[in-house]
Amino acid sequence: MNRRLGLRVGGVFAVLTCAALVACGGGGGGGGGGNGGGVIPTPVPTNTASVPALPTATSGPLSLSSSTTFTLGAAGSAGTTTLTVPVSTVATTVSVAASGSAAGSIPVPQAHAMRAQVLGANVTTIEYLTFQSSAAMTLANVPATTVGLAAPLASGGYADIVYYTGATNGWVSAEEIPVASGATSLAFPAGVPFRPALALAAGATYTFAVVTNATMLQTPTPAPSALATLIPGPDPTLPAISPPKGWGAYDIAHALQYPVQSGYDGKGYTVAILGDAPPAQSDVAAYLSSLGITQTTPYTPVYVGASPSPDPGGKDEATLDVETVSGLAPGATIRFYVMPDLTDQSFNLVYSQVLADAAKYNIVALSVSFGGCENYNGQDFTQPDSSNIAKLAQAGIYVVAAGGDQGNECYVGMPSPAPVNSPGVNYPGSDPNAIGVGGTQTDKSITNTAVWSDPNGAGGGGVSTTFAIPTPQVGVSGFASATMRNVPDIALPAVNAYTIDRGVAAYFDGTSWGTPQAAALIAEISEYCGGAIPTAFSSPQGLFYLAYQRRPADFLDVTTGSNYYATAPDGTPYQALAGPDNVSGVGIPLGMPIAQTLCANGKPQSVRVPGMMAVRAQGYAAARATTLANVVHVPGERDLGVRTSPSPIAVTLILRSNPSLASDLQNVASQLRAAGFTVTYAAGFAIQATAPAATVGDYFGTSIHDVVQNGMARYANATPVTLPAAIAPYVQSVIANNFVLMHRLSERRR
C-alpha cells in the first residue's frame, strides 16, 4: 500500500517526516573510516525528476518553533505512524509518503555497508518514508515518532530510523532504540540532537526507513564543526577567551565539544586528584580569572599521612592538574589528595582515602598524573596498587592515568641523579581497571589527529607484559595484541597547556595534561546522565569503549605519526592507524556527542552512589601465619645491611574488602598497637603504622635493611613478610619499604 500526504497550512509549515526520520536532526552522517572525522554527508536527493516543481521560499531556511502531531496510515509492515514534529510560520508545501518499498534505484538497507557501520543481513525494513519541502530547511532534533506494527515482533533487538546517503553509498542509522519480543509498536523519543543540524534542500526528495535488527547498529556521527549549545543546561558555558601562546580551558571545551559548553559543568560531582604538593589557591584563582571563568568553590587540599616535604616539581604538576579540572569543569568539587612523598605506601594511602570519601563527596573520577614500570627483572611492581585500583573501579570511580611521556618507555626508580628507564608501558595507565590517556601533537591545533612526538616527549603507548587483555578491548580490531592489555584507551591534547604557576604564565607538555582533561569530562558526563553513566564490561574502564561501540565517530581518529621518542630509543614505537591503535586507543573523545550516545536525552537514571557497599567482598583468609612474597629490588639499589637506627619506619597494611571492614581496621590496629606500633592512619582499606625497624622485623618475621635507591637513603624488607595469625584473616598485603616506583610525567617546558 502506498500513501502520500500533501500539506499546505496557511502560514504554518509541518516539518513532517524529516524529523521523524531523524535525518532532519543534524547529522548522523558517517564520518571517515575508523573513529570518524571527514565530511558530513547530506542525504542524497532521490527521484527529484518525478516530483512536481514546487515554489521556492525566499526567506531562507525555515525558522522552526512549535510542534504538531501528524498521523499516517499503514504501509509495508507498519500500521499507523504518528509524528510529532516542529512547524514553521513560513508558508510552504510539504509532501510525506510511506511505502513498503524504496523508490527508484535506492537499495534495500541490508544490502550496503557504510563507514564504521554495516546494516547486516538481519535488518528487516518496516516501512520507507520520503519527505519533500518547497523551502530549504534545517532541523536539529529528532521528533517523537511512533510506528504501529501490523504483527508483533517475533524476537527482540533494536529498531532504527535510517536514511540513505550517497556520500557513504549506503544507509546510516540516525536513532536507535531497544525493542522487546512481542512488541506491537516502536516508539522513538523526541529531542535527540543531530550534530551538526541537517540542511535539507528545497524541492528535493529524501528517503528514510524504519528498520529492526537483532543486534545494535553502530551509529556514526560527524566530526565536530563549530560548537553549538546542543541541549540547554542549568549552568553557564565557558567564555571564549584564549590565553597567549598556549591552550586554555575554553579552547579544549570548544574544540572537543565538552558538555560544559552545553551547560553541564560537573555540578554535584567531585574529581579527586593525587599529588605531593598542593598548588597555591592564588595561582588557581588567577588562572580562572585570566580566562573569565567563575568556579563554584576553591579546590580543597586533603592531607593523607605526614605533611609533605617541599617539592617544586610536584607543585608544577599539581597546578597543571587542578587548574585543568577547575577550568574545564568549574561546577565540580575538586579534592586534591596530598601525599607526603611519592613512595608506594603514599599512593596506596591515597587510594584508600579516596574510596573512604567517595560516598560522602560523590567522587566520580580520580586523576593520576604519575607513572612507572609494571615490572623489572621479573618483579611485579603493580601490587598492591592494582588490587586497590580494582576496589575503586568496583565502587564506580573512574581512575584516569597518564599513558607516559617517553613513547614505549617507562620509569624505573627515582629520577635522581638521573631517571632509570626501561622499555614498556607506564603503570597505572596500563592497569586493566584504569583509563590510560595517550597524547596528541597539539602545538598548532587541538583537533590535530597526530600522535605527540617531538623533542619534548612522546605519547605513551604499547602492550602490557603484566595484564591480560581486559574485556572492553576484546575483539576491538587495530590493537597490537589480542591477548594482553593495550595502552592507551583514549588520547587527548598533550602539547602547550597554559597555566598560572607561581604567579606567572607557564606552559606544559605531557600526557598528564590529558589526565585531568578526561577526569573533568567524566564529571560533566555524570551530570548530564544524572549520575548514572551506563557501565559496560563490568568495569568503569569500559565507558569509552561502550561509546565507541555505539557510535565510533564520537571520537576523532588519530591517524598520523608514531610515539617514537629520540632520547628513549629502547622502547619499540607504535604507529597511528585508522581506527583503534596503541598510541591513541579508540581516539580523541568528543564530550557532548559521547554524553548523548551514552544517555539519550540526558534522562536521569537511578543515581549511582559510590562507596564501600559497592566493593566486592574478598572473603577472609585462614587464621594462620602467612608468608607474602613481597621483596622489592630496584635498579641502582645498594643494600647497606640491617637497619640499626632506632628511628621509626612506616609500614602500610592493605586490608581485604569485606562487609565488616570498619571493625576489621580497628581489630588490626589494636593488634599493631599491642605489638609496639604507633598507628598513624586507619581509613578505607589501609592502615599505616610506625615502629623501629627491629619491632617491624620481629612482628612480621622479616629483616629491615638500609638501602640506597639512586643516591637516596631508603629502607626495605630484605626477606618476605610473614603475617601473624592474629591479623592474617584480614590483611591482603604489606608494604614494608619506602621505594619510589612512580614519578610525575608532565614538566614545564617553557
Side-chain angles (χ1 to χ4, degrees):
M1 175 180 178
N2 186 52
R3 50 177 163 62
R4 178 169 292 276
L5 174 64
L7 297 177
R8 185 182 183 92
V9 186
V12 178
F13 162 62
V15 181
L16 198 40
T17 107
C18 166
L21 283 318
V22 169
C24 310
N35 292 12
V39 179
I40 309 308
T42 300
V44 174
T46 59
N47 295 335
T48 54
S50 63
V51 178
L54 298 173
T56 301
T58 59
S59 59
L62 296 175
S63 174
L64 306 178
S65 54
S66 58
S67 62
T68 301
T69 299
F70 297 88
T71 302
L72 304 177
S77 57
T80 300
T81 297
T82 62
L83 311 171
T84 301
V85 298
V87 297
S88 170
T89 57
V90 178
T92 189
T93 300
V94 174
S95 293
V96 177
S99 175
S101 61
S105 60
I106 296 177
V108 295
Q110 62 263 37
H112 278 246
M114 288 139 306
R115 298 173 185 174
Q117 178 184 5
V118 175
L119 296 183
N122 291 331
V123 168
T124 300
T125 302
I126 303 299
E127 65 178 339
Y128 294 90
L129 297 164
T130 58
F131 171 77
Q132 186 186 75
S133 170
S134 64
M137 68 186 327
T138 301
L139 291 184
N141 298 91
V142 180
T145 303
T146 301
V147 180
L149 301 176
L153 290 179
S155 59
Y158 296 85
D160 291 70
I161 295 175
V162 300
Y163 65 92
Y164 184 75
T165 167
T168 56
N169 193 30
W171 291 88
V172 175
S173 174
E175 182 178 4
E176 185 168 63
I177 59 173
V179 293
S181 174
T184 57
S185 64
L186 309 175
F188 296 91
V192 176
F194 299 92
R195 308 171 293 272
L198 186 64
L200 303 178
T205 301
Y206 297 89
T207 300
F208 308 88
V210 178
V211 303
T212 58
N213 193 51
T215 58
M216 181 180 291
L217 303 177
Q218 294 182 350
T219 306
T221 58
S225 57
L227 188 69
T229 299
L230 304 177
I231 293 182
D235 305 314
T237 61
L238 296 185
I241 300 177
S242 297
K245 298 183 181 180
W247 303 116
Y250 173 79
D251 303 302
I252 297 293
H254 177 83
L256 301 184
Q257 302 188 37
Y258 269 50
V260 65
Q261 293 302 91
S262 297
Y264 299 90
D265 63 1
K267 184 177 182 180
Y269 298 89
T270 296
V271 173
I273 302 172
L274 129 176
D276 65 333
Q281 294 279 8
S282 58
D283 280 346
V284 179
Y287 170 82
L288 296 172
S289 177
S290 71
L291 297 178
I293 298 171
T294 301
Q295 187 181 28
T296 304
T297 57
Y299 88 92
T300 301
V302 181
Y303 292 87
V304 181
S307 298
S309 57
D311 183 1
K315 188 174 289 292
D316 288 345
E317 177 64 64
T319 299
L320 171 66
D321 294 355
V322 171
E323 289 181 357
T324 298
V325 177
S326 296
L328 284 174
T333 298
I334 299 174
R335 291 175 64 81
F336 184 85
Y337 287 82
V338 188
M339 306 180 291
D341 50 37
L342 299 184
T343 63
D344 205 32
Q345 292 195 44
S346 293
F347 277 97
N348 282 280
L349 289 185
V350 167
Y351 296 149
S352 177
Q353 189 62 50
V354 169
L355 190 59
D357 292 346
K360 180 177 180 180
Y361 297 101
N362 203 15
I363 298 174
V364 293
L366 169 63
S367 179
V368 183
S369 292
F370 295 80
C373 286
E374 295 179 328
N375 53 67
Y376 180 76
N377 284 345
Q379 294 181 93
D380 183 359
F381 287 167
T382 69
Q383 292 297 332
D385 303 63
S386 186
S387 63
N388 294 335
I389 289 174
K391 293 182 177 75
L392 294 170
Q394 290 164 13
I397 298 171
Y398 295 84
V399 178
V400 188
D405 291 357
Q406 293 184 299
N408 189 33
E409 285 208 353
C410 52
Y411 287 119
V412 183
M414 293 182 62
S416 175
V420 180
N421 301 322
S422 176
V425 295
N426 271 267
Y427 184 84
S430 66
D431 196 283
N433 287 296
I435 298 172
V437 182
T440 56
Q441 184 69 40
T442 48
D443 50 345
K444 296 180 180 179
S445 171
I446 290 176
T447 56
N448 183 19
T449 54
V451 183
W452 173 40
S453 180
D454 61 27
N456 290 330
V463 178
S464 170
T465 58
T466 301
F467 300 106
I469 188 169
T471 302
Q473 292 186 341
V474 173
V476 179
S477 62
F479 283 128
S481 177
T483 58
M484 302 300 289
R485 163 81 158 111
N486 296 277
V487 183
D489 299 298
I490 57 173
L492 282 162
V495 177
N496 216 14
Y498 161 75
T499 69
I500 296 293
D501 188 15
R502 300 173 213 178
V504 299
Y507 303 89
F508 290 81
D509 295 351
T511 55
S512 64
W513 180 31
T515 303
Q517 290 176 49
L521 176 57
I522 289 169
E524 294 175 10
I525 293 175
S526 295
E527 182 186 3
Y528 177 80
C529 292
I533 301 176
T535 56
F537 313 110
S538 301
S539 170
Q541 193 230 22
L543 177 149
F544 290 109
Y545 289 94
L546 176 62
Y548 180 78
Q549 180 188 73
R550 289 183 175 179
R551 203 182 299 256
D554 285 352
F555 298 80
L556 298 182
D557 193 6
V558 179
T559 58
T560 304
S562 75
N563 65 347
Y564 173 77
Y565 184 41
T567 62
D570 295 333
T572 302
Y574 286 82
Q575 186 73 33
L577 305 170
D581 52 50
N582 289 66
V583 294
S584 67
V586 294
I588 304 169
L590 303 178
M592 198 61 181
I594 288 174
Q596 294 163 338
T597 292
L598 294 174
C599 303
N601 303 318
K603 293 182 178 179
Q605 303 170 44
S606 58
V607 176
R608 174 191 56 76
V609 179
M612 288 302 299
M613 293 305 293
V615 178
R616 186 179 302 115
Q618 294 176 294
Y620 294 104
R624 62 170 180 266
T626 305
T627 300
L628 306 176
N630 63 340
V631 179
V632 178
H633 296 289
V634 296
E637 171 192 339
R638 287 189 297 121
D639 191 332
L640 303 181
V642 176
R643 183 180 177 91
T644 58
S645 170
S647 299
I649 64 170
V651 293
T652 296
L653 290 73
I654 307 300
L655 272 65
R656 297 170 177 271
S657 295
N658 284 301
S660 59
L661 180 58
S663 61
D664 295 346
L665 282 168
Q666 297 306 315
N667 185 8
V668 174
S670 296
Q671 294 289 334
L672 292 171
R673 292 189 185 99
F677 287 81
T678 298
V679 175
T680 59
Y681 176 90
F685 51 75
I687 295 175
Q688 188 173 73
T690 61
T695 302
V696 174
D698 289 344
Y699 187 74
F700 289 107
T702 186
S703 178
I704 304 297
H705 286 206
D706 283 316
V707 296
V708 176
Q709 181 192 17
N710 284 40
M712 301 294 292
R714 301 281 166 182
Y715 62 86
N717 55 303
T719 57
V721 163
T722 298
L723 296 175
I727 66 172
Y730 316 107
V731 177
Q732 175 182 306
S733 56
V734 175
I735 307 173
N737 67 75
N738 66 342
F739 284 130
V740 171
L741 302 177
M742 292 193 289
H743 309 279
R744 297 178 302 275
L745 292 175
S746 289
E747 296 181 9
R748 182 157 52 174
R749 309 294 186 184
R750 298 168 179 82

